[in-house]
Amino acid sequence: MAPSALHFGAGNIGRGFIGALLSDSGYHVTFADVMDKLINALNEHKGYTITILDVAPEEPTKDIKNVSGVMSNNPTELTKAIVDAEIITTAVGPNVLRIIARSLAAGIVERRKAGKTYLNIIACENMTGGSRHLGDEIAKHIADSEDKAYFEEYVGFPNCAVDRIVPPFDPGATGNVLSVGVEAFYEWIVEEPAFKGPRPHIEGMKLTDNLVAYVQRKLFTLNCGHATTAYLGYLKGYATVDESLKDSEIEKIVHDAMVESGQALCKKHGFDFEEHKKYIEKIMNRFRNPYIKDDVARVGREPLRKLGPADRLVGPTKMAVEYGLPHANLIKGIAACLMYDNPEDKQSVEVQTAIREKGLAHVCEDVLGFAPDSTETKLVLQDYEELKASSAKH
């Protein structure tokens, strides 16, 4: 009988990345989600097809099997899945972790009662310290002293860095809404010392004892460049990331922003800069992939989160400032994000409302963490006005 894995989030990333690796490694993967359409399809088809998008779309596909689904709002079924699981992963978005924490706490309590031992829960989100954050949220819902002792001894929360572009995908004539398209490249690096009990063997999972460096490398390079492309592209009316990068002005800003963040990363973590430049070129080629039609609004969604002081735009800027390194193009990315006005994105509306009501300088202080009289605030305001004038022409 196959070991059980539970994955929260049956969306494209869950199915096309982490869930697929778990299935390939011999696990029966149960997906938990609130979308009944996806859960019903998982229980009906018990599998789906992944298409590799680095080449023509009719090219290589891969069948993922031995999967099922459970509704996240069905406490009985979800608790059973938590009790049965040998590993739990998530791809739900950072803001949802606190929501699933209560259910995980209830399941962990039942695991103790059932005599289960080690369990590792890995939050595969684009955030620093995601798993540990989830662990802290779960701990809030565990009150009994015996349950707390069990939780501390047997449940591990290894942080990780994840990297794979999984854009929206049309399943076409397959009739299976679960079919998903992905790029061939992926990276899943997990913090080895944080595991409790035996380390699981999962194809494609790399263990490290220096995760912070890899998390920041990915967040401050790929996610930084991706977001910068999306916001600049959106302002010029482009629909996708690859289309945006055909604009030489955008391409140069994005590339130079990643070089700036790279110089700071190499200074902080000791990465070899020549190797890091190759990493940047690989990322640029991934962004240019014409078969991955990655919508700029999808990449740019939730700008408030992306403007966080330690996130993909402000984080590398502050690191560059700390080491006295260039950061002009990183600032342009921040300004473009502040210009991102999408009425269908709740966080975009919040940012635009704050700018109108409180002023851009206040937002730089309140959201970005830049002092009002800092050089960085002045540069953001300057670039913002230049982008505003430029976008008025498009």
Side-chain angles (χ1 to χ4, degrees):
M1 186 175 178
S4 295
L6 174 63
H7 180 83
F8 281 84
N12 286 358
I13 294 173
R15 300 194 313 277
F17 187 6
I18 305 300
L21 294 184
L22 291 167
S23 175
D24 284 347
S25 301
Y27 287 89
H28 172 89
V29 184
T30 300
F31 289 90
D33 206 293
V34 294
M35 297 290 290
D36 53 0
K37 180 180 180 181
L38 293 175
I39 297 305
N40 291 339
L42 283 161
N43 289 325
E44 176 187 351
H45 296 288
K46 303 191 186 307
Y48 53 91
T49 300
I50 290 178
T51 300
I52 308 299
L53 299 176
D54 290 51
V55 290
E58 67 272 11
E59 286 303 322
T61 60
K62 183 175 189 177
D63 290 330
I64 303 299
K65 301 176 181 178
N66 201 19
V67 299
S68 60
V70 59
M71 293 297 295
S72 297
N73 54 10
N74 184 326
T76 302
E77 289 188 10
L78 183 58
T79 296
K80 183 180 185 306
I82 295 169
V83 171
D84 291 342
E86 296 193 14
I87 187 168
I88 296 177
T89 53
T90 79
V92 293
N95 296 332
V96 181
L97 294 178
R98 65 175 182 81
I99 297 173
I100 65 174
R102 186 183 295 273
S103 297
L104 282 163
I108 288 166
V109 169
E110 291 304 312
R111 284 180 67 88
R112 181 190 68 77
K113 294 176 181 177
K116 298 282 183 146
T117 56
Y118 295 109
L119 173 69
N120 290 287
I121 302 176
I122 308 174
C124 305
E125 314 291 346
N126 279 326
M127 68 181 296
T128 302
S131 300
R132 189 61 261 169
H133 170 72
L134 177 55
D136 292 341
E137 291 295 322
I138 293 171
K140 295 176 183 178
H141 303 289
I142 298 179
D144 180 82
S145 59
E146 197 172 351
D147 291 334
K148 283 184 178 179
Y150 171 88
F151 178 69
E152 290 297 326
E153 182 175 357
Y154 290 110
V155 186
F157 292 92
N159 291 314
C160 76
V162 287
D163 185 0
R164 189 174 215 176
I165 296 174
V166 186
F169 181 73
D170 182 0
T174 65
N176 188 345
V177 297
L178 302 171
S179 297
V180 63
V182 303
E183 65 168 339
F185 177 90
Y186 67 85
E187 191 171 62
W188 186 19
I189 301 174
V190 185
E191 179 184 29
E192 183 172 18
F195 274 95
K196 294 287 181 72
R199 279 45 172 168
H201 176 72
I202 300 172
E203 294 293 335
M205 182 178 77
K206 299 176 184 176
L207 301 178
T208 182
D209 58 2
N210 184 24
L211 183 69
V212 172
Y214 287 100
V215 170
Q216 288 194 331
R217 184 190 68 155
K218 188 257 179 176
L219 190 64
F220 291 0
T221 313
L222 180 128
N223 294 117
C224 172
H226 216 197
T228 301
T229 305
Y231 295 127
L232 290 170
Y234 188 87
L235 293 179
K236 286 196 172 185
Y238 298 123
T240 62
V241 168
D242 67 301
E243 182 185 355
S244 300
L245 280 183
K246 290 177 182 176
D247 184 311
S248 59
E249 183 182 13
I250 292 177
E251 182 184 47
K252 185 175 190 317
I253 293 171
V254 171
H255 178 270
D256 290 353
M258 289 196 288
V259 168
E260 289 170 356
S261 69
Q263 289 173 327
L265 285 163
C266 291
K267 186 77 172 177
K268 183 175 180 67
H269 297 298
F271 294 127
D272 180 82
F273 188 58
E274 292 305 314
E275 287 301 312
H276 193 78
K277 285 196 290 186
K278 293 176 185 176
Y279 177 62
I280 290 171
E281 291 307 318
K282 183 185 289 187
I283 288 171
M284 292 293 291
N285 287 329
R286 291 167 65 193
F287 290 168
R288 293 187 189 104
N289 185 345
Y291 300 109
I292 297 181
K293 298 298 181 184
D294 214 354
D295 189 86
V296 294
R298 185 199 76 81
V299 177
R301 67 187 175 191
E302 298 184 344
L304 196 57
R305 174 170 64 86
K306 292 180 169 71
L307 286 168
D311 213 286
R312 66 209 68 196
L313 298 171
V314 181
T317 303
K318 288 188 171 183
M319 188 183 287
V321 170
E322 178 187 348
Y323 290 110
L325 296 168
H327 50 279
N329 292 283
L330 289 167
I331 292 284
K332 285 186 174 71
I334 293 171
C337 183
L338 290 164
M339 279 284 296
Y340 178 65
D341 188 356
N342 182 352
E344 296 180 1
D345 187 313
K346 181 181 176 182
Q347 289 192 11
S348 173
V349 173
E350 286 183 46
V351 173
Q352 297 310 309
T353 301
I355 291 173
R356 283 195 306 272
E357 294 181 354
K358 300 177 180 178
L360 186 57
H362 175 86
V363 171
C364 285
E365 180 181 15
D366 189 46
V367 177
L368 313 183
F370 290 155
D373 58 348
S374 68
T375 302
E376 287 64 53
T377 293
K378 293 173 185 175
L379 289 172
V380 169
L381 268 60
Q382 177 182 309
D383 284 345
Y384 182 92
E385 291 303 323
E386 289 179 2
L387 285 171
K388 191 174 181 179
S390 177
S391 64
K393 301 175 185 177
H394 293 284

